[in-house]
Amino acid sequence: MFTPRISLPEHMPAGEGRWIVVAEDQKVLLVDGRYPCGDSSPVSGCRTHLLGLEDGIPIWAVTASEDGAGDPVDGVLTSKVMEGSGIAEWVNLRSLFGKVCDTDWILAGRASQVLAWERDHRYCGRCGVQTEHHPIDRAKQCPSCKLMAFPRISPAVIMLIERQGPDGPQILLAWGRQFHARFYSALAGFVEPGESLEECVRREVMEETAIEVANVRYFGSLPWPFPHSLMIGFLASYVAGEISIQEEEIIEAGWYGPKNLPPVPIGGMSIAGWMIEDWLQRVSEDR
Ligand SMILES: [Zn+2]
């Protein structure tokens, strides 16, 4: 079990633990397929952040280079890693899923987000003075105007729209422009300031497909560290409208039954996939 902390309990020696080394381009260091362990950072001269304790073991995040410059693969690993028997490799955070256990993948996303926050808030966004670490909270504070900067989390909704079609249950899926190959998923979008999650679901579905929905129900959520989203999943019911896509964002959208699904993100680290699997399970039980 993981417990977030920003400092070690008093009895714990500093530096012991597992080290999640993340380069600015979100590449993560694996040694023999795992995060390096040990009593000191495998990367010299870089600021470290305690993320928390996992089953009592400290989990640290560390940048691959202090200024983010240069090739992360060369010149940053200490001799300890280079001389060790382990094979060091850099794996993109997206590709890391499946290479490490799900818990470790989530921890790498947490590390990436904390390090990005450190990198992006070195100076006060209001007055430009160099910030300092807050002694108690995971926050950076301006010593001049006292503005606090917490790690940024950008909430995004992702929603599976269901309806009873002419031949049975269907879901609304769209091929978004971010996918080069033909690949469909649930609709998604970022929450606007002043908007509730439910309002955001109804607005995004209307904007992207001209479909009116209601009965918005919470499904679950997933941290999505690209770079700092939180995906909040919802189910919703079709009310009215014919599909008319927003062409800047979507290549194609349609209603699909369980027997004619297009390529979808099933079996991975994707809340859209979990919602589609959940729907398939429900409609198969109803038959
Ligand atoms: Zn300031």
Side-chain angles (χ1 to χ4, degrees), residues 124 127 142 145:
C124 174
C127 76
C142 174
C145 76

Side-chain angles (χ1 to χ4, degrees), residues 97 102 105-106 160 219-224 231 233 235 265-282:
F97 175 72
D102 291 358
W105 190 81
I106 292 286
L160 196 66
F219 176 85
S221 66
L222 176 68
W224 197 245
M231 302 296 282
L235 307 172
I266 281 182
M269 176 56 79
S270 147
I271 193 164
W274 302 344
M275 289 196 291
I276 295 168
E277 286 167 29
D278 170 77
W279 174 75
L280 285 171
Q281 179 73 29
R282 282 188 283 116

Side-chain angles (χ1 to χ4, degrees), residues 29-34 77 79-89:
L29 177 67
L30 294 182
V31 177
D32 284 341
R34 292 181 302 188
L77 299 182
S79 55
K80 200 171 73 173
V81 169
M82 299 305 282
E83 289 166 7
S85 57
I87 298 168
E89 61 174 331

Side-chain angles (χ1 to χ4, degrees), residues 47-52 59-62 114-115 117-118 133 138:
R47 189 179 170 85
T48 60
H49 286 267
L50 181 70
L51 297 180
I59 308 291
W60 300 89
V62 53
V114 167
L115 295 171
W117 158 76
E118 162 81 39
H133 277 275
R138 195 175 311 276

